[in-house]
Amino acid sequence: MGSRKCGGCLSGLLIPLALWSITVNILLYFPNGQTSYASSNKLTNYVWYFEGICFSGVMTLLSIIFSALGIACSGYCLVISALGLVQGPYCRTLHGWEYAFEGTAGRFLTDSSLWIQCLEPAHVVEWNIILFSILIALSGLQVIVCLIRVVIQLSKILCGTYSVIIQPGII
């Protein structure tokens, strides 16, 4: 009984997590709320993997198979978002458009004095750090929720708590 209520609660939690992941991924296309960078292809390349839209947004509503798919897709979102966070934004520097922090192993994340290297889009470093971090958190939560769902579904199968109700007259 408790696992059924918990499972239903977890399913309800996946929907807002997926919607938030989709929304946050869409925001990554518009640094500082501007569309010009997306239309001129001046965005971090990891934004184009659609991790929040296609993969972290997958609804896992059907038992173990879809929960496992949710783990894989949310895990993909988590990994790609982490790579995007560590790589840093694609921005205009004194040397033109480039990944200003590539090869720094994410050191720029703790040294905000380096952020001035990105001249355009304005505040793109903060924008990427915040939004990729949100995607990491949301997809991490989705992985945990899906893992719990798999455990619950497996326990129902292995412990025989699935009930089959046969109604008279229905064949």
Side-chain angles (χ1 to χ4, degrees):
M1 179 74 172
S3 65
R4 182 176 293 156
K5 285 184 179 180
C6 182
C9 175
L10 292 176
S11 293
L13 181 61
L14 286 175
I15 293 169
L17 286 173
L19 292 175
W20 273 109
S21 292
I22 291 167
T23 302
V24 169
N25 199 161
I26 290 170
L27 287 173
L28 279 167
Y29 290 96
F30 309 104
N32 217 26
Q34 298 173 357
T35 60
S36 60
Y37 301 105
S39 61
S40 61
N41 200 24
K42 291 186 168 79
L43 294 175
T44 303
N45 62 352
Y46 286 107
V47 171
W48 298 105
Y49 284 89
F50 305 109
E51 68 277 6
I53 295 171
C54 296
F55 297 99
S56 191
V58 170
M59 297 295 141
T60 57
L61 301 176
L62 297 175
S63 193
I64 296 172
I65 294 171
F66 287 118
S67 292
L69 182 62
I71 292 168
C73 293
S74 298
Y76 173 87
C77 178
L78 191 134
V79 169
I80 294 299
S81 297
L83 290 172
L85 180 66
V86 170
Q87 180 186 42
Y90 185 70
C91 62
R92 188 174 64 79
T93 66
L94 293 174
H95 306 289
W97 287 90
E98 64 180 343
Y99 289 97
F101 309 111
E102 195 169 40
T104 67
R107 194 179 74 247
F108 75 97
L109 294 169
T110 58
D111 187 358
S112 60
S113 66
L114 297 173
W115 298 357
I116 60 171
Q117 292 178 35
C118 282
L119 306 174
E120 188 182 355
H123 308 289
V124 70
V125 178
E126 296 94 328
W127 187 262
N128 275 20
I129 290 172
I130 291 168
L131 295 177
F132 275 127
S133 295
I134 290 171
L135 276 176
I136 289 168
L138 291 173
S139 59
L141 284 172
Q142 286 178 319
V143 167
I144 292 167
V145 168
C146 289
L147 279 171
I148 292 170
R149 295 265 310 148
V150 166
V151 169
I152 289 170
Q153 295 299 327
L154 281 174
S155 71
K156 285 181 178 181
I157 290 170
L158 297 175
C159 298
T161 57
Y162 270 116
S163 63
V164 178
I165 300 172
I166 300 173
Q167 296 179 359
I170 299 177
I171 298 177

